[in-house]
Amino acid sequence: MGGDNTPPIWEASRPLIDLQVAKKIMKSRGELKLNASDILNRATNYYVDLNANSRYDKGLDALAIRRKFGTNVSFSFAYNIR
């Protein structure tokens, strides 16, 4: 949040898709897992809502920051000793 002279900056909504696939192996004692987050990798817009309508209007609102965070992929293996 800004001070008296600095307007608040908002984050515009964007489509976001995550995926997780898991497979039990080794008599269900082991598990392989694949995770992918932010698959679409759309840019995030941070803006000043100049027309006060609670949404980002390109050309009307002031764009403060445009950033892509990237897609993250991880693969893991877990084993339960019991």
Side-chain angles (χ1 to χ4, degrees):
M1 291 298 269
D4 292 335
N5 296 326
T6 306
I9 295 178
W10 302 94
E11 180 180 355
S13 62
R14 65 186 175 109
L16 184 66
I17 296 176
D18 297 336
L19 173 74
Q20 181 179 78
V21 178
K23 175 69 177 164
K24 296 279 188 181
I25 60 172
M26 302 170 74
K27 299 180 183 177
S28 293
R29 294 182 83 173
E31 182 178 50
L32 296 172
K33 195 178 289 184
L34 175 67
N35 291 298
S37 62
D38 197 2
I39 293 171
L40 300 176
N41 192 24
R42 298 276 177 92
T44 302
N45 294 321
Y46 297 90
Y47 66 98
V48 178
D49 191 12
L50 296 176
N51 59 358
N53 67 350
S54 300
R55 69 172 192 259
Y56 177 62
D57 295 313
K58 187 176 182 178
L60 296 175
D61 294 325
L63 183 62
I65 300 167
R66 181 176 173 89
R67 179 170 186 227
K68 282 190 171 187
F69 292 95
T71 300
N72 294 305
V73 178
S74 66
F75 182 75
S76 62
F77 172 73
Y79 186 78
N80 188 354
I81 298 173
R82 291 187 204 190

